[in-house]
Amino acid sequence: MPLLDHLIELRKRIIWSLATFVVAFLLCYHFSGEIYRFLAAPLASIMRQKGEQPHLIYTALYEAFFTYVRVAVFGAFFLSFPMMAIQAWIFIAPGLYRNEKKAFAPFLIATPLLFLAGAALAYYLVFPFAWKFFLSFQQMGGENQMGIELQARVSEYLNLVTKMIMAFGICFELPVVLTLLVRAGLVGTALLRRIRRYAYVGAFAVAAVIAPPDAITMLGLAIPLVGLYEISILAARMVEPKPITADDDDETLPDHGDAA
């Protein structure tokens, strides 16, 4: 295709993606309250267990509105991502050979599944333990004692949960990234095994930077990353290009003796 036709096709795919995102945003904004309550459900559950009335506060007149807008953007990203991936595939696929399409197909399926697995781990496993740990620092006030009570803002809580969900989801893409690198011949499984100890240290370093500063959350991200690294090595071994040997070179050369 000429360059102009490529640009026209790219514009068409971008328009489809943006239109899907806008529709998803409007839908998510309509249900932004329900989506926020779903994100806050782990915190509300811990508060009820402690005999508290679940609540969050906002300290600026516009804070709640912009929080709902960001909730809608967050939800729209999840809803529109499959369509964006499909549009990207439609644009890229015509330039690939049949064997290349077959090679990339598993990664298209694994990418959203691994992201959802990471987000689910954060929401259903890490959040309850982390929120219970942070709420344990509250102290009931008395006649001669000052109380310490959590008054979490809606925007700050949204920042924390969206950051952790995105971080866990992106980190769970490690097998896809490493397998693609091995498939492209940029790295080999032997190198991945050789730097294993450094990868383990890197996993804990990433968890320390991304996760909140408590041991439970950091271990909740670092340990799965170590496991995903090992899974990446196993998956990469199955798709690693085989080195060309001397026998393979001899098979590809014509037999001049028979021709004579």
Side-chain angles (χ1 to χ4, degrees):
M1 293 175 61
L3 177 60
L4 182 59
D5 291 338
H6 277 294
L7 294 177
I8 293 174
E9 181 68 16
L10 178 61
R11 183 186 65 177
K12 184 187 300 183
R13 300 307 156 201
I14 292 176
I15 290 174
W16 270 101
S17 299
L18 289 177
T20 304
F21 181 84
V22 170
V23 172
F25 172 82
L26 295 175
L27 180 65
C28 289
Y29 185 78
H30 180 73
F31 296 100
S32 57
E34 289 78 3
I35 297 173
Y36 191 91
R37 282 190 286 273
F38 173 77
L39 295 174
L43 178 61
S45 177
I46 302 300
M47 284 183 167
R48 292 191 187 95
Q49 293 176 14
K50 291 182 171 293
E52 303 176 20
Q53 179 64 30
H55 67 283
L56 294 169
I57 66 171
Y58 63 95
T59 57
L61 292 176
Y62 52 81
E63 184 176 351
F65 168 74
F66 283 109
T67 299
Y68 283 157
V69 170
R70 292 172 54 201
V71 167
V73 172
F74 183 69
F77 170 77
F78 276 89
L79 289 181
S80 61
F81 179 79
M83 176 59 74
M84 293 180 182
I86 291 173
Q87 295 301 316
W89 177 252
I90 292 174
F91 180 74
I92 296 172
L96 301 177
Y97 293 106
R98 182 175 299 177
N99 61 337
E100 292 175 334
K101 292 180 182 179
K102 292 181 179 180
F104 278 103
F107 298 106
L108 294 175
I109 299 173
T111 299
L113 293 180
L114 287 173
F115 188 92
L116 289 176
L121 177 68
Y123 182 85
Y124 290 105
L125 185 61
V126 176
F127 285 179
F129 286 101
W131 300 169
K132 184 178 295 185
F133 172 78
F134 291 132
L135 286 174
S136 66
F137 293 96
Q138 292 188 113
Q139 296 181 10
M140 298 299 297
E143 184 175 342
N144 299 319
Q145 185 179 6
M146 182 179 66
I148 301 176
E149 183 180 0
L150 172 69
Q151 294 290 335
R153 294 170 52 190
V154 291
S155 59
E156 291 177 348
Y157 180 80
L158 180 65
N159 287 339
L160 181 60
V161 296
T162 53
K163 173 188 173 183
M164 290 183 63
I165 288 176
M166 294 298 293
F168 273 73
I170 293 173
C171 288
F172 266 59
E173 300 297 333
L174 181 64
V176 173
V177 174
L178 292 182
T179 306
L180 281 174
L181 291 176
V182 172
R183 177 73 180 179
L186 299 178
V187 297
T189 55
L191 175 62
L192 296 180
R193 289 193 297 268
R194 192 162 58 248
I195 64 172
R196 179 182 278 125
R197 67 182 67 181
Y198 304 106
Y200 290 176
V201 175
F204 281 89
V206 169
V209 173
I210 294 177
D214 68 287
I216 296 175
T217 310
M218 287 190 289
L219 290 176
L221 178 58
I223 293 176
L225 276 178
V226 171
L228 289 170
Y229 187 81
E230 295 297 331
I231 294 174
S232 302
I233 295 177
L234 296 176
R237 186 182 302 172
M238 294 186 292
V239 301
E240 187 174 17
K242 296 181 180 179
I244 299 176
T245 62
D247 294 337
D248 296 332
D249 289 338
D250 294 340
E251 290 177 1
T252 57
L253 293 175
D255 192 349
H256 296 290
D258 293 342

